[in-house]
Amino acid sequence: MVKLHRNKINFLKKIEIPKTPLDSALVTLKKARLPKFKDYLYKSKVPIKDILKFKNGVSYLNFRNNLSIVYTKELEEEGYILRAAFSKPRKALPQTSSIIPLKLPTIIDKNGTLINPLNVFYEGYWSYEKFANSLPLDYDPKI
């Protein structure tokens, strides 16, 4: 409870329909504390046709939602685990990264490098390693 001009304000009060400007302010404050978005992780394999498009011999990244990649053939490096100032040592996990499209479609050259890497945003392991080093040399998109 807080006092405002001799009125007590109950921040825990449930307000279905705001009746006063103070009620409206309390509803707005409660909504401001809500997360801006909700993450959902679909744990199914995404068909390559939903990620890549091919036209006239050119490959493009072309997907709308964020893409989460888990590379199970190599574990995280110690430097990645301890990258933050107060990070505690933990067991290395498979490398997990996210690609967030900013501008699509994005052209991919024959070596798997994005022609304009600023068209996507990386989070997780790939943001640590930088995209140029993230794909293994034996990477085969057909698998």
Side-chain angles (χ1 to χ4, degrees):
M1 288 260 183
V2 175
K3 279 191 173 187
L4 176 67
H5 301 289
R6 296 185 183 161
N7 294 326
K8 290 183 180 178
I9 301 171
N10 182 0
F11 287 97
L12 302 175
K13 176 180 161 183
K14 265 194 148 183
I15 301 169
E16 297 294 326
I17 299 172
K19 294 181 177 119
T20 67
L22 182 57
D23 287 349
S24 294
L26 290 172
V27 168
T28 302
L29 284 172
K30 286 180 183 178
K31 287 184 178 180
R33 292 184 188 140
L34 294 173
K36 301 221 181 308
F37 56 88
K38 215 172 201 182
D39 285 334
Y40 292 98
L41 180 61
Y42 298 98
K43 293 185 177 186
S44 61
K45 292 186 178 184
V46 179
I48 200 151
K49 68 178 182 57
D50 292 347
I51 300 170
L52 296 174
K53 301 293 181 206
F54 303 97
K55 186 175 180 181
N56 300 328
V58 180
S59 302
Y60 299 87
L61 270 185
N62 197 23
F63 57 92
R64 293 189 189 274
N65 297 313
N66 300 353
L67 189 63
S68 180
I69 299 100
V70 179
Y71 184 63
T72 58
K73 294 180 182 178
E74 188 176 335
L75 298 177
E76 303 161 327
E77 296 175 21
E78 184 180 9
Y80 175 75
I81 296 167
L82 301 174
R83 71 194 179 282
F86 300 106
S87 295
K88 294 181 180 178
R90 62 168 172 79
K91 185 179 174 184
L93 301 169
Q95 297 174 1
T96 303
S97 308
S98 293
I99 300 177
I100 301 161
L102 301 175
K103 184 178 179 186
L104 294 174
T106 298
I107 300 172
I108 305 171
D109 75 8
K110 293 182 181 187
N111 296 320
T113 304
L114 296 179
I115 298 298
N116 189 347
L118 298 177
N119 286 351
V120 294
F121 180 75
Y122 302 99
E123 288 183 336
Y125 201 79
W126 280 2
S127 68
Y128 168 76
E129 264 199 351
K130 307 291 184 238
F131 187 70
N133 298 327
S134 64
L135 293 176
L137 294 175
D138 63 346
Y139 175 73
D140 183 3
K142 295 174 192 139
I143 295 177

